[in-house]
Amino acid sequence: MKFSAAVSLLFVASASAFAPASVGRSATQIAAGSNQNPFGNVKSLEYTGGDDPNSSNYGRLAEKLNEADIERRKIQDEADRRERAAEIRREERLAKIAYMNDMPDSQPAGTVDEFMFKEGVQDQLDKLDHDLVGLTAVKQRVKEIAALLVLDKMRRKLGFETSVPSLHMSFTGAPGTGKTTVAVRMGQILAKMGYARRGHVVLATRDDLVGQYVGHTAPKTKEMIKKAMGGVLLVDEAYYLYNAANDRDYGQESIEILLNVMENNQDDLVVAVAGYKDRMDKFFSYIPGMMSRIGNHIDFPNYTADELVQISAVMSRDLEYDIDDAAYDTFKNYIEERMKLPYFSNARTVRNAMDRARMNSAIRTFEKYAIDGVNGGVCTVEDLRNISAEDFQIILDDILDGDSSKRIFA
């Protein structure tokens, strides 16, 4: 009996040990603070990431759904924009077709002369005739390009379909034949017709485009292209960009950049390459992509002796000098002899000869009035403007009488 009483007492004590201390007090505490967690003060449903390295990929479900919805709306808006743009183009196309169908054949489009003078194209062509002696074929080619631009603008005014023609150019010829002058005039014509924003000409050579080490070429080439944007980039002696003997030459990178710009930016940049004809032909054989992107090939022939004499007259006119009639014969003799010698450069040679003739005229006038004291040292306007035959005879004698190894190649 004592044993059964002890067992009963043990069971009662165990049950009371595992029972809640105060059910009423716990309920009161939970009701008083609904945000309280019976397991601690941390919110049990808020994930803090812990030490998981991928914790940045986790997030609230609502936030992820919202981000996905925003992205879906962006895609839908872009699709709607493209569809609307296509619809506008269709409407414009239908309106143009209706306009062209309803337009009578007698619809006035304006005269060619009106566009030539109004846009200033004729003025640029007149300047080309004024500045360049000879080069009839070159001037004709420039006029043909100008005619295309004028008629294209007249077509656009009436609503015809138009596209920017390939205006990239190749100028081949010896030094001093007017390649840079023609490039400047073409840039101004393109600007007048709205095919170039600025119409300026940037002259570049290999040194301006090709770097000396890896990573240097691309920035140099892009900088020159940036300067020429809206005008003409004239690459003189372009064949030096490619070195067939060295596959690792940096010039190839510059050529690739130029080809990309010629294809993708032809509406804002005209690239003209220039050099000797035989070397340019060889260059094009190595770089067929360059040849195919150039639509205008203009060859500049050498000047004749008579044309070079006319160039000297143009230079004297621009410099406000008067050349004696007899002096022209002497100058022609000089040109004919100079053409037999090396390093002849057409108009550049004439310019150098004119500079030496001016210097000889200055020396002659100085000695006459300052040293000899003729007329009390007072010279006239005619003396300051005159270039005589003896001024040219001096440079002719340098060729005829000088030692062959010491000739002055003016």
Side-chain angles (χ1 to χ4, degrees), residues 128 138 141-142 145 167-175 177-187 190 201 203 232-239 270-281 284 294-301:
L128 192 64
V138 174
R141 183 59 173 159
V142 172
I145 297 173
L167 296 172
H168 302 306
M169 304 176 191
S170 170
F171 297 156
T172 54
T177 51
K179 297 186 291 294
T180 303
T181 301
V182 172
V184 171
R185 289 287 173 259
M186 281 305 306
L190 295 176
V201 176
L203 181 63
V232 178
L233 175 62
L234 177 59
V235 184
D236 195 18
E237 297 183 312
Y239 33 76
V270 174
V271 176
V273 292
Y276 289 101
K277 182 172 176 53
D278 55 342
R279 297 186 185 181
M280 289 300 297
D281 290 341
F284 287 139
I294 295 176
N296 302 283
H297 295 265
I298 304 176
D299 185 49
F300 291 71

Side-chain angles (χ1 to χ4, degrees), residues 99-117:
Y99 172 77
M100 298 298 291
N101 290 334
D102 296 337
M103 183 176 61
D105 294 338
S106 59
Q107 174 74 22
T111 64
V112 175
D113 287 342
E114 176 186 350
F115 275 81
M116 292 286 284
F117 284 99

Side-chain angles (χ1 to χ4, degrees), residues 9 57 74 100 110 122 132 152 159 229 236 238 245 262 269 276 282 313 315 355 366-367 390 395 406:
L9 183 61
N57 297 328
K74 288 182 178 179
M100 298 298 291
Q122 188 61 52
L132 284 184
D152 187 70
M229 275 296 178
D236 195 18
M262 291 171 69
L269 177 67
Y276 289 101
K282 190 174 183 180
M315 290 183 178
D355 288 342
F366 182 82
E367 290 179 348
E390 77 176 278
I395 60 177
K406 299 179 180 179

Side-chain angles (χ1 to χ4, degrees), residues 16 48-49 52 66 135 279 316-317 365:
S16 61
T48 60
D52 189 350
N66 186 48
L135 299 179
R279 297 186 185 181
S316 65
R317 178 198 65 199
T365 303

Side-chain angles (χ1 to χ4, degrees), residues 57-350:
N57 297 328
Y58 305 143
R60 293 180 180 274
L61 178 61
E63 293 177 355
K64 296 297 183 182
L65 291 176
N66 186 48
E67 292 175 1
D69 186 55
I70 293 174
E71 188 65 25
R72 180 188 61 79
R73 287 199 301 269
K74 288 182 178 179
I75 295 174
Q76 183 62 41
D77 291 343
E78 181 63 22
D80 293 341
R81 187 191 65 78
R82 290 196 299 267
E83 182 177 354
R84 179 56 183 163
E87 182 180 351
I88 292 174
R89 287 195 298 269
R90 286 194 298 270
E91 292 175 353
E92 291 177 348
R93 177 64 177 167
L94 292 175
K96 179 179 290 187
I97 293 175
Y99 172 77
M100 298 298 291
N101 290 334
D102 296 337
M103 183 176 61
D105 294 338
S106 59
Q107 174 74 22
T111 64
V112 175
D113 287 342
E114 176 186 350
F115 275 81
M116 292 286 284
F117 284 99
K118 180 180 178 182
E119 304 298 338
V121 177
Q122 188 61 52
D123 179 56
Q124 296 301 322
L125 295 177
D126 291 341
K127 288 182 179 179
L128 192 64
D129 284 330
H130 185 268
D131 295 342
L132 284 184
V133 174
L135 299 179
T136 303
V138 174
K139 294 176 182 178
Q140 179 62 31
R141 183 59 173 159
V142 172
K143 291 178 181 178
E144 291 171 356
I145 297 173
L148 171 63
L149 301 181
V150 170
L151 270 296
D152 187 70
K153 191 160 188 177
M154 294 177 70
R155 285 171 53 87
R156 186 164 63 245
K157 178 182 177 181
L158 289 179
F160 286 100
E161 286 293 334
T162 61
S163 62
V164 178
S166 176
L167 296 172
H168 302 306
M169 304 176 191
S170 170
F171 297 156
T172 54
T177 51
K179 297 186 291 294
T180 303
T181 301
V182 172
V184 171
R185 289 287 173 259
M186 281 305 306
Q188 293 169 344
I189 290 174
L190 295 176
K192 296 291 185 181
M193 294 303 299
Y195 288 94
R197 289 183 289 111
R198 300 166 62 189
H200 65 301
V201 176
V202 175
L203 181 63
T205 62
R206 176 186 168 91
D207 290 341
D208 300 311
L209 298 171
V210 181
Q212 303 297 320
Y213 50 84
V214 176
H216 191 209
T217 297
K220 291 189 69 174
T221 302
K222 291 178 180 178
E223 179 64 24
M224 292 304 296
I225 291 173
K226 182 179 179 181
K227 291 180 181 179
M229 275 296 178
V232 178
L233 175 62
L234 177 59
V235 184
D236 195 18
E237 297 183 312
Y239 33 76
Y240 286 129
L241 292 178
Y242 183 78
N243 185 357
N246 185 4
D247 294 336
R248 301 180 64 183
D249 183 70
Y250 299 134
Q252 182 65 37
E253 182 181 1
S254 179
I255 293 173
E256 292 174 357
I257 295 174
L258 286 174
L259 292 177
N260 184 60
V261 171
M262 291 171 69
E263 184 68 25
N264 299 326
N265 299 88
Q266 61 178 339
D267 57 339
D268 197 33
L269 177 67
V270 174
V271 176
V273 292
Y276 289 101
K277 182 172 176 53
D278 55 342
R279 297 186 185 181
M280 289 300 297
D281 290 341
K282 190 174 183 180
F283 171 68
F284 287 139
S285 69
Y286 289 131
I287 315 293
M290 181 73 74
M291 179 73 170
S292 63
R293 285 171 172 81
I294 295 176
N296 302 283
H297 295 265
I298 304 176
D299 185 49
F300 291 71
N302 288 323
Y303 288 104
T304 64
D306 289 333
E307 289 174 338
L308 292 172
V309 171
Q310 293 179 43
I311 290 175
S312 69
V314 172
M315 290 183 178
S316 65
R317 178 198 65 199
D318 294 340
L319 294 172
E320 298 183 340
Y321 275 90
D322 295 326
I323 300 179
D324 293 343
D325 293 337
Y328 283 115
D329 294 332
T330 306
F331 182 70
K332 184 177 180 180
N333 292 335
Y334 163 79
I335 288 295
E336 291 173 343
E337 294 297 326
R338 181 64 184 83
M339 293 174 74
K340 302 175 184 178
L341 300 176
Y343 315 118
F344 180 74
S345 299
N346 291 281
R348 293 180 187 170
T349 297
V350 173

Side-chain angles (χ1 to χ4, degrees), residues 47-58:
Y47 180 73
T48 60
D51 297 329
D52 189 350
N54 297 320
S55 61
S56 60
N57 297 328
Y58 305 143

